[in-house]
Amino acid sequence: MSLDPQANPSLGLPAMSRRVRADREREYHVELVDDLLGAGVDRLTSELDGRRALVVTTPTVHELYTSRLVDALRRHNETISTIVLPCDEATKNLDKVKTLCEQAIESGLDRRSVIVGVGGGVCTDLVTMAASWIRRGIDYVRVPTTLMGQVDAGIGIKGAVNFGCKKSYVGTFYPPQSVIVDPAFLNTLCARHVRCGIAEIIKIALACDARLFELIESHGWRFREIAAHTDSAELREIIWLAIVRMLEELEPNLHEDRTLERVADLGHTFSPMLESATGFRMHHGEAVAIDMAISAALAHRMGWVDDASHERILTALIDVGLPVWSEHATLELCWHAIEDAAVHRGGQPNVVLPSGIGEADFVRRVEGICRNDLEAALRAVERRAGDGSAHD
Amino acid sequence: MSLDPQANPSLGLPAMSRRVRADREREYHVELVDDLLGAGVDRLTSELDGRRALVVTTPTVHELYTSRLVDALRRHNETISTIVLPCDEATKNLDKVKTLCEQAIESGLDRRSVIVGVGGGVCTDLVTMAASWIRRGIDYVRVPTTLMGQVDAGIGIKGAVNFGCKKSYVGTFYPPQSVIVDPAFLNTLCARHVRCGIAEIIKIALACDARLFELIESHGWRFREIAAHTDSAELREIIWLAIVRMLEELEPNLHEDRTLERVADLGHTFSPMLESATGFRMHHGEAVAIDMAISAALAHRMGWVDDASHERILTALIDVGLPVWSEHATLELCWHAIEDAAVHRGGQPNVVLPSGIGEADFVRRVEGICRNDLEAALRAVERRAGDGSAHD
């Protein structure tokens, strides 16, 4: 008998107890491809490998791209179904995931089938959840079509929907089979969404890659006329470096269960409350940009970054047309955000501040930030925002 | 730059590709305890460790046990909420999981909180799914109150609900923090549900533990008057050995992604279709018993087990009052079940048959089973069922 001989002292009985390892080995790959809708479609067909597939997409993406993509896939593979789903934050809920599951049954998906999500962050969220639910988890492929998705939200393993009045209350960690990134989708992305993606690229550069930050400083203007540059080597390099740096930060803590200190949380201290305070009229990337400006000013005030670096950070944000200030960024909101971060990060706020270009560090305790410094930082950013950009 | 220098031959461009490890390390423990509602409650309080907890239970279990359990917990811990949820196969659906999530919000559960599921298989399924959803996954503890739950369904990591007309179409693999088994809950379990649990114990004994099979043969009658024996050392030994053997079989393949050959699938070749053919009026354990009788007769016919072992298997089932035959077990249904198993097990039916007492092997190809042998096996079981048990 393989009973554990360890005694249970409180009962005087032999404890019958057994530990069970429930590790799950998973791997996925992220790839920057070229001409996915043309010659590059074989990258996607090789992922499907003849299996039945359901392509999930949004009305806009379908009109511009997916119908062509599905035609190309069907020439290789007979068993492609499509569902076009309006995807926005207001309707990112469980009913949409149910709709995907119903479509999966209707399309005859089985355990071996694949879902392909072609769209922005909401589309990826819904596909991630549906794939994790169906038959307790089937394969799925992410094809992010926004810059934010290509360098940030779309390359990880998270999916969530809003529930009741709680944002992203219900969700999952569920790795895709692969993420396929084609910058050509950015041709038709509106300028505001391009800027929001750049905010995340600046974030990861500022937090951990000085060279990427320099590339953005010298080539960032290309994002302003992105349609003319999606096949340029420099732009591809910027996007790919941002992806690689982001993955390096995500990989050791993909399930967010190993550490509560993440430099990729730079720009995410004040931004959740800012978005919320504007009723989500402010986009996530805009809030991240304002958060970075405040964080940089606070770091400057605290002596973590020098004058020149501080100025470079603000200039990089302003140069690509990102906001650095909002009237919603009150001292009360920002202070409350720090306290709230502590609640979400196991008692410590772990506020990420730049400690140079390409470097960041943590303020681990609420008392580590002086309210006067925060107030002075907010005033400094407000003034700088009023000045506008010298390069504009 | 850490770009992958591997060339993409189809495009003539450097491939920008990166593999990401998404392994998740998890461990849980399964424990047979004593007097959980009394002195043993500290086992549960130590699992909760002062965290806010939501206890999920069913009306019957609540009336008999959980109110006492919650009182005992509250004496140790101030933050216990309870939800009593009717749990049956007919209403095992997504709406019930949503109800749990709503209650979780109302009870103020956060990332660090715990759900405790005290009930049968449906309760465990719903709790597993809700815990996996909330904040992308919070801790939960399983306290199975049925014998089936204690030795089989409740000790693994699966949860699922019915969706549309598909049984368990939507679900998850999500390990609990722990499983706490107290045989005292069996005191009030109806005889039919006790028998269904024994079917799974006989299954695991027949598949891989001759000594456990002998214990059932000599002590199995105690299950017939279980209320008088839930604290007997022999009964605890049978239950614990069944748990340990089941975990040994489950552990290497908990996510069912490593092999499609599982000896614990014994008794699960014909049983799904049998249950379905009776509109689920036949319980799972009863179908498993009939399946084992048919499998044993087929193995006997094919020369895998001798006369004596064949008779022991049938006698063990009949002695505890389990059915070994149903008019629904037609040749057509059973043959179709083998073909269907092949569909669900990657093209090979992997029919598990006993190759002795405590041993099993696989028929890997549909052609490995002769239709005439199956028909003869069915006739043999039908005759034996007509004879009744010599020991009854």
Side-chain angles (χ1 to χ4, degrees), chain B residues 288-298 310 313-314 317 323-325 381:
Chain B
V288 168
I290 293 168
D291 184 311
M292 279 193 283
I294 297 170
S295 299
L298 182 59
H310 179 214
I313 297 167
L314 288 170
L317 293 167
V324 293
W325 177 250
V381 181

Side-chain angles (χ1 to χ4, degrees), chain A residues 135-339:
Chain A
R135 295 290 186 198
R136 298 195 184 87
I138 63 172
D139 284 345
Y140 75 108
V141 175
R142 294 176 167 201
V143 182
T145 56
T146 63
L147 185 56
M148 176 75 92
Q150 293 186 343
V151 300
D152 191 275
I155 61 176
I157 68 170
K158 296 185 349 182
V161 296
N162 303 324
F163 186 82
C165 54
K166 301 265 190 180
K167 197 166 144 63
S168 300
Y169 186 77
V170 160
T172 189
F173 293 99
Y174 188 68
Q177 170 179 314
S178 59
V179 182
I180 296 179
V181 175
D182 184 350
F185 287 114
L186 308 177
N187 278 328
T188 47
L189 195 64
C190 74
R192 190 176 178 192
H193 280 111
V194 172
R195 285 196 297 269
C196 285
I198 305 175
E200 296 287 356
I201 298 180
I202 293 178
K203 173 200 77 176
I204 200 72
L206 177 56
C208 56
D209 190 337
R211 173 153 177 276
L212 177 56
F213 198 89
E214 284 162 26
L215 282 174
I216 296 162
E217 288 178 313
S218 52
H219 294 284
W221 55 271
R222 291 176 193 263
F223 284 107
R224 290 216 166 181
E225 39 189 49
I226 202 155
H229 294 283
T230 54
D231 57 354
S232 88
E234 291 90 342
L235 190 69
R236 289 175 65 88
E237 188 184 353
I238 289 175
I239 292 174
W240 182 244
L241 266 182
I243 290 172
V244 171
R245 291 295 160 264
M246 191 64 195
L247 291 175
E248 283 168 357
E249 292 304 319
L250 288 177
E251 194 172 28
N253 192 34
L254 266 175
H255 298 90
E256 300 181 2
D257 52 358
R258 290 189 193 154
T259 176
L260 293 160
E261 293 184 0
R262 301 175 290 242
V263 298
D265 279 344
L266 179 65
H268 291 72
T269 306
F270 312 112
S271 53
M273 290 213 172
L274 272 174
E275 286 176 79
S276 175
T278 66
F280 296 94
R281 279 185 299 278
M282 183 185 287
H283 284 199
H284 179 64
E286 292 162 349
V288 168
I290 293 168
D291 184 312
M292 278 192 285
I294 298 170
S295 299
L298 183 58
H300 181 232
R301 179 89 193 167
M302 291 166 67
W304 288 26
V305 295
D306 60 23
D307 294 351
S309 298
H310 179 213
E311 181 56 30
R312 280 177 69 193
I313 297 166
L314 289 169
T315 302
L317 293 167
I318 293 168
D319 263 9
V320 292
L322 280 163
V324 293
W325 177 251
S326 153
E327 59 182 12
H328 294 280
T330 61
L331 178 61
E332 286 64 38
L333 179 139
C334 292
W335 191 257
H336 183 46
I338 291 171
E339 293 175 331

Side-chain angles (χ1 to χ4, degrees), chain B residues 268-285:
Chain B
H268 292 71
T269 306
F270 313 113
S271 53
M273 288 211 172
L274 271 174
E275 286 176 80
S276 174
T278 66
F280 296 93
R281 279 184 300 277
M282 183 184 288
H283 285 200
H284 180 63

